[in-house]
Amino acid sequence: MHVLTLGRRPYLEVETAMRAHTAARGADSADELWLVEHDPVYTQGIAGRDAHVLAPGGIPVVRTDRGGQVTYHGPGQVVAYPLVDLRRLGIYVKEYVYRIEEAVIDTLWTWGVVGHRVRSAPGIYVRLADPRSHALLEVDAGHPFAGLGKIAALGIKVTNHRAYHGVALNVAMDLEPYDRIDPCGYAGLETVDLRRCGVDVGWDEAAARLARALQRRLAP
């Protein structure tokens, strides 16, 4: 998988390029991983409900063709877009999502932070009180996010077995814009970053670690 570090780019520019790349690739086209930091933007999934966008203010809201509801992208966040051929990897969408989440969990663990899944809520979460705790996560079915903060959001699109969009890992952000939406469609869901977990790391290093984990998990 060829890794491209794009730096800071507007969301629409990168999304347009992803669509074009996916439409143009052939059976022998190499898989790629794009790493980018976006200007502030809210993105809505293809079935996203406007009611989850509470008060965007001056931050633009862009409707996309990925799955999921609304999320925020902004400075201090590593966004990773794997552009991969699932048929060539021999996996289906459910396995693909699982592998991306495993890559995030692997990445967090390099700093001693323990990532968790929540059933039917794609992405990765950490314990707010103790992000390094190894204790078994006991989820209350009535309050599945109690005591948790979301540190990585995931949304993908697959067309003709070719995947694009991807995963966003919060590193050191201004988290206030999340207060103006229901993150991923969940009212009151708290969002955190590595800095809040006690990890002081730069964007470049975080991007490199996530890229290595994705390369391992998405290897043929």
Side-chain angles (χ1 to χ4, degrees):
M1 181 186 292
H2 182 50
V3 178
L4 297 174
T5 302
L6 305 180
R8 183 163 168 177
R9 299 283 185 89
Y11 178 81
L12 275 175
E13 173 190 317
V14 177
E15 194 210 23
T16 299
M18 278 194 297
R19 292 192 194 204
H21 173 90
T22 301
R25 65 181 299 176
D28 297 325
S29 299
D31 290 340
E32 296 186 359
L33 174 62
W34 296 3
L35 303 171
V36 63
E37 182 180 31
H38 285 308
D39 297 332
V41 64
Y42 294 116
T43 66
Q44 274 277 35
I46 194 168
R49 295 176 52 202
D50 292 339
H52 293 306
V53 183
L54 308 178
I59 299 176
V61 181
V62 176
R63 188 165 289 277
T64 79
D65 64 347
R66 63 162 173 80
Q69 295 284 331
V70 64
T71 193
Y72 169 72
H73 297 307
Q77 179 189 69
V78 174
V79 186
Y81 295 124
L83 309 179
V84 300
D85 187 327
L86 299 187
R87 179 159 48 192
R88 193 162 58 203
L89 286 177
I91 61 176
Y92 294 100
V93 173
K94 186 175 181 179
E95 172 69 15
Y96 178 58
V97 169
Y98 178 84
R99 291 192 188 192
I100 292 177
E101 290 178 335
E102 282 293 287
V104 175
I105 291 171
D106 293 345
T107 303
L108 294 175
W109 181 237
T110 66
W111 295 291
V113 175
V114 180
H116 300 275
R117 290 182 175 88
V118 173
R119 185 183 296 274
S120 301
I124 297 299
Y125 304 79
V126 298
R127 295 177 190 268
L128 295 172
D130 185 1
R132 300 174 188 273
S133 172
H134 293 272
L136 179 66
L137 183 65
E138 297 181 3
V139 177
D140 181 342
H143 304 279
F145 305 111
L148 297 176
K150 192 164 193 174
I151 196 167
L154 187 151
I156 65 169
K157 172 70 175 180
V158 178
T159 180
N160 295 325
H161 306 285
R162 296 159 186 168
Y164 59 108
H165 292 287
V167 64
L169 174 63
N170 300 339
V171 179
M173 306 178 68
D174 174 7
L175 297 170
E176 185 275 335
Y178 286 103
D179 296 337
R180 299 191 239 159
I181 60 174
D182 294 331
C184 303
Y186 297 103
L189 174 60
E190 189 161 353
T191 306
V192 298
D193 57 13
L194 282 167
R195 180 168 54 193
R196 177 164 172 186
C197 294
V199 177
D200 182 13
V201 64
W203 190 95
D204 290 342
E205 177 61 23
R209 295 195 192 196
L210 180 58
R212 288 193 292 268
L214 287 165
Q215 286 177 297
R216 286 195 301 270
R217 291 292 179 178
L218 298 177

